[in-house]
Structures are given as structure tokens and as C-alpha cells.
Amino acid sequence: MAPIRSLSLVKLKSEFAVDLGSYPFAEDLPLVFLGEIPNLPEHGVFLGFKSGRAYSGYHIDQFVELSDEEV
């Protein structure tokens, strides 16, 4: 699967969304992926689409870009 692009809208992959309530951004999806943290490889910075709140340090590989139909 292709890596997610910076500034794209993302959601949790289905295998991680099962436990969605345990994430602080559960009510703030979709998220805007800002990019990877340079000194923390494979972890990213995200913004809540609804609130604009920043979420950082989450594994990038747990997310997938929204499809055109979902946007």
C-alpha cells in the first residue's frame, strides 16, 4: 500500500478502528495528516478536521487516506 500523503484526510485502518473509543481523537475524525516527525520515524502529526486540535506521536501505518467517495 502506498504511504499516506502529507495534508491528506485520513482515518484509522479497520483493524485499529475496532478500539476507536480508546483514542483521544475518536470524535474528531477524519484527521489531516501533516507529516512524519523527523526524529521519531514512522510517527506522525495529525490535526482534527473538526476541532483543529493537534495529535502527535501516532504510528503512521495505522492510518489510511480517505477515498474520493468518503470525502
Side-chain angles (χ1 to χ4, degrees):
M1 178 170 277
I4 57 176
R5 298 171 293 170
S6 293
L7 303 179
S8 61
L9 292 173
V10 299
K11 64 181 181 179
L12 280 170
K13 290 181 178 177
S14 58
E15 60 264 29
F16 299 102
V18 173
D19 197 22
L20 183 60
S22 67
Y23 292 96
F25 52 77
E27 301 295 323
D28 212 4
L29 292 169
L31 301 176
V32 179
F33 174 61
L34 297 182
E36 185 175 27
I37 301 170
N39 57 348
L40 193 58
E42 301 177 18
H43 294 78
V45 177
F46 303 84
L47 288 180
F49 187 73
K50 297 174 186 170
S51 71
R53 186 174 295 143
Y55 303 97
S56 63
Y58 292 95
H59 289 270
I60 295 169
D61 64 352
Q62 294 181 345
F63 293 88
V64 63
E65 287 186 25
L66 295 184
S67 67
D68 290 341
E69 294 78 32
E70 293 174 298
V71 176

